[in-house]
Amino acid sequence: MSGEKEIYLGYTTDKAVTPFFKQFLEALEKQQLMKSTCKKCKSEYLPPRQYCQKCLTECELTEFTERDAKLVSFTVVEFAPESLASRQPYVVAIGEFPSGRRLTAHITNLMDMPKVGMKLKLSFERVSDKQVTYKWQV
Amino acid sequence: MTRRVAVVAGGHSKFGKRYDATMRELCAEAYKPVYDAGITQDRIDATVLSYAASQFTGQGAGSALMADSIGLQEKPHLRVESACATGTASIRAAYGMVASGLYDVMLVLGVEQMNRVSSATATEYMSRAGDMRWEYPYGISFPAFYALMASRYMAEYNLPHDVLSMISVKSHHYGAQNPKAHLPKEVSFEEANNAVPICRPLNLYDCSLITDGAAAVVLVAEPRVKEFTDQPMWIKGMGAGASEMMIQDRPSLTSIPGAKRAAKAAYKMAGLQPKDINMAEVHDCFSIAELIAYEDLGFAEPGKGRQLIENKEVYHTGRIPVNCDGGLKSKGHPLGATGVSMTYEVLSQMRKKAEKPTRQIKDVKYGLVHNVGQSGQFVNVIIYERGW
Ligand SMILES: [Zn+2]
C-alpha cells in the first residue's frame, strides 16, 4: 500500500488494515463512530464486522450515534504490554450504551479509581499523525 | 467411541525460570519418569505435543523438536494449541484417537519455555491473544482481561480484595510443599493483600507466574491397560466449552460461559455431580479465576464462592480440596504444560504420591481438572476416576 496514508486504531500500529477497516478509521478521523449492519438479516455489530457472524453476508457501515454509556467493568493497567509501556498507567473500560451495545476503550480523564456503574461519555482523539481513537470521558 | 481410556503414568519437570534448559531438556525431564516406569519409546504408538506459543523461544516446528528430544522422532505426532488450555486440549485430542481405536498407547507431552524473553515482552505476546483489531490496540494484557472480570465481580457481589488474597495465600501454602513448584514459598495475607498492583484491582500476588516447564501423561485403551499398571486413572467425563472472542461481548463477566458449558458436558458424560468430586485442579491463572471456577464448576452458588475459601473448604482436608499442588500461582503456569501438569497431580493424589503428607488429599475417587484458555475462549473440564 505504498504511497497511501497510514492509519491505525488506538495506541498500537498493527498492520492489518483492510479496505473495510480503513473506511471505519477514516470516519473515526471525522469523529464518526461506525457500526455495521448485515445487508441481509440486519444484524448489527459494534465494533463493526465486514461479514455477518450469523449469515456471512457482507455488512455495511452506518453511523452509531449513542454517546452516553455506563461503566460495566474496568482495570487500571500498571504493568503494560511492551507496546503500551510508555502510556502506563492507563484505564481500560468496557462501557455499555442504552441500546445495550458495548465498546472497550481507555478512560483518559480520570484520576481516581473508576466505579462500576459510573457515567461515561464517548469522545474521540487523534493520538498521532497515524493513530486515531475513540475514548471514554467521565 | 467404544473403548474406555485410562491415564497410566505421568512425569513432571521442575517448574521455574529454567535458564539451564531448552524445550529439549524440559521434555526429556518430563518423559524420564515415564520411561523409568517401563513405558519405553517402542511401546508408544503416537504423541500429541502441547505448546501454546512459538514466539517465546522463536523455535518453529516445535513439536518435531519435542518428539526428537525423547526419541519419538519416527512415530506419528502432532501439535495441538488452545492458548492456556492447550494441555487439556491435547489430552482431549489423544483421548479421541485412543477411544476410536486409531492408537492404543499415546503420550501427551506439554511444554512451554517463556523466560527466554523479558516479562514485558511475554506480556506483549500474551496480549496478542486478545482480538488484534479491537482489544490489542488498547493494551489489554492477560491480567487486564481478568481484572475486567474482577472489578465487575467485586462490584456485583460486594467482594473485598481480601478474599482474593486468601486464595493466593492458599496457593503458596501448598506450593511451598511441592518440590516441583516455581515459587515454593509461603506468603502472609498482608504480603499478598498489599502487593504492588499489576492491573487494578489485581496485584502481583493475584497473578500466576511466567514459567518454564514440562509435563507428560500416557493414555492407554482399556484392553491394554493391564500391561501398563494396576492403578489406572480412567477418563470418566470430558467436556469442552467456548466463549466469545471479545470479552465485552460476554453477557456476564462474573462467570466464564465456556467453563459452565464444559463442566455441564463433563458431569453429564461422567454421570456425576459437583458433590461427587473429591478434589479439583482449577485454572487459577489469577486469584479471581479460581473464585469464579468454584462457581462455574458448581462447588458454590454464584456469588458464594468466597465461603469455600473463607471456611477453608478448599484446603486439603476440606470438603473440596482445590489446587493442593500450589496451582498456577505458586507451582507456575508454563502454558502448554499446565493442563498436563493438572492431570499429573490428580494421578499423584489418587496414588497417594504427594511428596508431603501435609498436602496429601485423603481419599480421591473422582478428581476434576478445569483448564481455561486465554480469558475463557477455550475451556476443558476432565473428570478422572480411580480405577483400583
Ligand atoms: Zn446476517
Side-chain angles (χ1 to χ4, degrees):
Chain A
M1 304 283 271
S2 63
E4 283 193 41
K5 188 180 64 144
E6 285 179 54
I7 182 169
Y8 306 105
L9 177 67
Y11 310 108
T12 56
T13 53
D14 177 45
K15 303 287 182 195
V17 179
T18 61
F20 178 86
F21 188 40
K22 194 163 189 187
Q23 222 184 314
F24 170 86
L25 292 171
E26 284 168 355
L28 200 59
E29 285 186 303
K30 293 179 232 155
Q31 309 213 336
Q32 289 180 323
L33 179 65
M34 306 301 270
K35 65 182 183 207
S36 74
T37 306
C38 173
K39 288 176 184 169
K40 188 176 167 196
C41 78
K42 305 298 175 200
S43 294
E44 288 189 0
Y45 300 98
L46 184 76
R49 297 168 184 251
Q50 187 169 354
Y51 294 100
C52 175
Q53 189 188 38
K54 292 172 189 149
C55 75
L56 291 310
T57 304
E58 192 144 31
C59 295
E60 58 190 352
L61 290 170
T62 51
E63 194 175 355
F64 182 84
T65 54
E66 292 178 67
R67 292 293 177 264
D68 294 315
K70 268 190 183 166
L71 181 73
V72 174
S73 70
F74 70 90
T75 175
V76 184
V77 177
E78 305 271 357
F79 184 77
E82 219 162 36
S83 54
L84 261 79
S86 65
R87 294 190 76 87
Q88 75 188 34
Y90 50 85
V91 182
V92 175
I94 299 174
E96 185 172 292
F97 297 102
S99 62
R101 306 241 167 266
R102 292 177 175 178
L103 204 60
T104 307
H106 287 187
I107 306 177
T108 59
N109 65 342
L110 188 68
M111 290 297 119
D112 295 327
M113 278 290 272
K115 284 202 167 53
V116 167
M118 74 194 293
K119 287 180 182 171
L120 299 174
K121 203 169 187 76
L122 193 76
S123 173
F124 303 92
E125 184 182 334
R126 175 159 280 289
V127 179
S128 75
D129 299 353
K130 295 178 182 174
Q131 293 163 307
V132 63
T133 193
Y134 41 78
K135 62 180 182 179
W136 296 117
Q137 303 284 277
V138 293
Chain B
M1 303 226 180
T2 53
R3 312 198 301 175
R4 290 207 301 160
V5 177
V7 177
V8 302
H12 204 288
S13 83
K14 168 81 173 118
F15 279 8
K17 286 187 196 284
R18 294 296 306 272
Y19 300 121
D20 61 326
T22 69
M23 282 167 76
R24 272 190 185 274
E25 290 77 41
L26 292 171
C27 289
E29 232 179 276
Y31 175 57
K32 182 69 163 47
V34 175
Y35 178 93
D36 287 345
I39 308 179
T40 46
Q41 292 89 340
D42 54 301
R43 300 179 77 188
I44 295 168
D45 297 330
T47 311
V48 179
L49 297 152
S50 165
Y51 70 102
S54 55
Q55 298 99 305
F56 297 111
T57 59
Q59 173 71 55
S63 58
L65 181 95
M66 292 163 74
D68 185 83
S69 67
I70 56 168
L72 284 168
Q73 68 277 8
E74 293 182 5
K75 300 287 180 85
H77 65 80
L78 60 92
R79 173 199 180 186
V80 165
E81 188 274 310
S82 297
C84 315
T86 292
T88 47
S90 297
I91 292 171
R92 186 175 169 83
Y95 171 80
M97 287 185 264
V98 173
S100 69
L102 185 62
Y103 300 116
D104 287 345
V105 182
M106 287 193 80
L107 176 74
V108 178
L109 177 59
V111 70
E112 208 77 47
Q113 188 164 46
M114 306 175 71
N115 286 292
R116 292 283 167 207
V117 297
S118 70
S119 297
T121 304
T123 305
E124 170 74 16
Y125 292 155
M126 285 188 279
S127 80
R128 294 181 192 185
D131 188 301
M132 278 296 288
R133 178 171 286 172
W134 303 111
E135 293 179 326
Y136 172 73
Y138 295 97
I140 312 179
S141 61
F142 183 37
F145 282 106
Y146 279 89
L148 287 166
M149 296 186 218
S151 66
R152 183 70 199 183
Y153 190 108
M154 290 165 84
E156 260 186 51
Y157 294 117
N158 195 23
L159 180 86
H161 185 271
D162 298 24
V163 175
L164 300 181
S165 293
M166 292 167 82
I167 292 174
S168 311
V169 168
K170 171 179 71 76
S171 301
H172 278 277
H173 173 66
Y174 287 114
Q177 303 172 61
N178 182 351
K180 300 277 200 300
H182 180 164
L183 209 56
K185 62 157 195 167
E186 300 265 0
V187 299
S188 69
F189 173 79
E190 288 71 28
E191 211 180 331
N193 209 34
N194 299 318
V196 57
I198 299 293
C199 288
R200 293 174 196 271
L202 300 182
N203 72 31
L204 184 64
Y205 276 102
D206 292 309
C207 302
S208 59
L209 305 167
I210 294 174
T211 304
D212 308 321
V217 293
V218 178
L219 271 56
V220 177
E222 177 159 31
R224 296 193 51 199
V225 161
K226 284 198 179 70
E227 296 171 30
F228 291 84
T229 184
D230 52 9
Q231 293 191 324
M233 180 173 84
W234 297 103
I235 294 175
K236 178 82 170 166
M238 183 175 271
S243 311
E244 291 80 357
M245 180 64 193
M246 284 178 66
I247 196 162
Q248 68 161 47
D249 292 340
R250 302 193 193 151
S252 165
L253 292 173
T254 58
S255 90
I256 294 176
K260 288 204 245 189
R261 288 189 265 270
K264 192 178 171 192
Y267 287 128
K268 187 181 174 199
M269 180 174 161
L272 295 171
Q273 295 178 345
K275 66 174 173 53
D276 300 319
I277 304 300
N278 307 116
M279 70 167 282
E281 282 284 297
V282 312
H283 196 88
D284 63 320
C285 48
F286 299 94
S287 52
I288 183 68
E290 177 163 330
L291 185 70
I292 287 175
Y294 299 159
E295 299 171 13
D296 287 345
L297 293 167
F299 302 144
E301 295 293 315
K304 303 251 168 74
R306 62 184 291 178
Q307 293 171 359
L308 292 184
I309 183 71
E310 285 171 328
N311 300 331
K312 294 202 165 187
E313 291 180 74
V314 281
Y315 276 69
H316 76 291
T317 51
R319 179 165 66 87
I320 173 70
V322 173
N323 294 3
C324 295
D325 57 353
L328 282 58
K329 173 69 202 81
S330 174
K331 182 183 66 177
H333 182 24
L335 314 177
T338 289
V340 185
S341 167
M342 290 170 157
T343 297
Y344 171 91
E345 170 65 9
V346 177
L347 182 67
S348 302
Q349 288 285 355
M350 277 185 185
R351 289 179 174 177
K352 299 203 183 298
K353 291 278 173 62
E355 301 82 357
K356 293 191 179 174
T358 45
R359 74 172 200 89
Q360 176 65 55
I361 300 161
K362 198 173 164 210
D363 186 27
V364 181
K365 172 80 173 160
Y366 298 111
L368 180 148
V369 162
H370 158 275
N371 190 197
V372 179
Q374 222 269 342
S375 58
Q377 285 86 340
F378 335 71
V379 188
N380 297 299
V381 173
I382 306 176
I383 298 170
Y384 295 107
E385 178 184 30
R386 193 179 65 212
W388 65 96

